[in-house]
Amino acid sequence: TRTTRPQRLLQAVSINAVRGDPDSVIKAIDHFCKHTEWAMNVGDEKGAILDLVVMETCPSTVLELGTYCGYSTVRITRLLPPATKLITVEMNPEYAHVARQVIQHAGLQDKVCVLEGESADLIPKMANMFGIQAFDFVFLDHWKDHYLPDIRLLEDCGLLAQGSVVLADNVVCPGAPDYLNYVRYNLKYSSRFYQAHLEYTRVLDGLERSEYQGD
Ligand SMILES: Cn1cnc(CNC(=O)c2cc(-c3ccc(F)cc3)cc(O)c2O)c1
Ligand SMILES: [Mg+2]
């Protein structure tokens, strides 16, 4: 096929979504994935849970690992007050390029920094790069076997503080068993599971919300 799935998703956004309207971008992507072509966005059902957790956290510094096409980036950023920044990390340059255009279509480009590269390389540089102490909210949605090493790296870099909330997608499907075991049985976290379904399907999945209790 000439075009890639992310490019076809972006085309659906540019045709069906209103420029500067994040909700119309979200609706256009969900419609595309339900009626045209499945894609690994967090989706509408888990997205509504993501919205609730973001709203109750009221974060001022946000990190997302795994941008893909920017669907969850738009979902989160549309809920943030003007002064806040969201940093999102994507290792695949083609995904990052599509995500920047989706984020721009939503009119949220001034609140988002899309970083290209490996999360393990970038996390240790973030405090200096952005002049931040800790992240109030972290959304994990990248390679599932990177969830555990990356949350440990965030701890070691002092980027989690008491009350920091880490929300992880796909803890059932595809699954992140080592990560779940860590956050559920480690006293440094208070963790709870939100049962849902894999985006746009009836397959069971869910999100794990883990609150850092401090050192
Ligand atoms: C290539 N790549 C770049 N980033 C990533 C990280 N994301 C995932 O792997 C991911 C995968 C699935 C999924 C795929 C096939 C299937 F049959 C069931 C589930 C769903 C998700 O929500 C995901 O986030 C993968
Ligand atoms: Mg996911």
Side-chain angles (χ1 to χ4, degrees), residues 148 152 171 176-187 189 191 208 210:
L148 180 53
R152 282 194 157 122
V171 295
D178 57 345
Y179 172 81
L180 273 189
N181 196 56
Y182 180 74
V183 291
R184 288 177 175 173
Y185 301 106
N186 185 318
L187 295 177
Y189 293 93
S191 209
E208 188 81 4
S210 306

Side-chain angles (χ1 to χ4, degrees), residues 21-124:
D21 178 357
D23 287 299
S24 75
V25 167
I26 293 165
K27 285 207 178 321
I29 294 173
D30 286 331
H31 187 275
F32 174 78
C33 292
K34 282 176 188 169
H35 304 290
T36 307
E37 201 171 353
W38 185 91
M40 59 180 169
N41 316 116
V42 73
D44 48 344
E45 185 195 18
K46 290 186 290 178
I49 299 166
L50 170 63
D51 289 355
L52 286 174
V53 176
V54 170
M55 287 187 279
E56 75 184 6
T57 310
C58 302
S60 51
T61 52
V62 178
L63 174 65
E64 174 182 62
L65 301 181
T67 317
Y68 189 40
C69 295
Y71 175 90
S72 49
T73 319
V74 168
R75 278 207 88 110
I76 297 167
T77 309
R78 85 193 202 285
L79 300 173
L80 301 179
T84 51
K85 264 252 178 249
L86 181 142
I87 300 159
T88 183
V89 175
E90 177 53 59
M91 48 140 316
N92 181 312
E94 197 243 306
Y95 293 168
H97 182 57
V98 165
R100 286 192 183 94
Q101 295 173 82
V102 168
I103 292 158
Q104 187 154 44
H105 198 96
L108 298 172
Q109 65 285 347
D110 297 342
K111 296 170 72 171
V112 175
C113 175
V114 180
L115 284 185
E116 273 178 60
E118 288 285 347
S119 48
D121 301 337
L122 292 166
I123 286 169

Side-chain angles (χ1 to χ4, degrees), residues 145-204:
D145 55 1
H146 289 199
Y147 284 16
L148 180 53
D150 283 352
I151 197 169
R152 282 194 157 122
L153 187 55
L154 285 165
E155 288 177 31
D156 297 346
C157 295
L159 287 167
L160 296 180
Q162 184 159 5
S164 292
V165 171
V166 183
L167 188 67
D169 190 25
N170 311 113
V171 295
V172 174
C173 175
D178 57 345
Y179 172 81
L180 273 189
N181 196 56
Y182 180 74
V183 291
R184 288 177 175 173
Y185 301 106
N186 185 318
L187 295 177
K188 285 185 291 188
Y189 293 93
S190 160
S191 209
R192 68 161 283 189
F193 176 64
Y194 295 84
Q195 176 94 55
H197 298 87
L198 177 69
E199 47 266 29
Y200 318 114
T201 76
R202 301 155 68 107
V203 172
L204 283 183

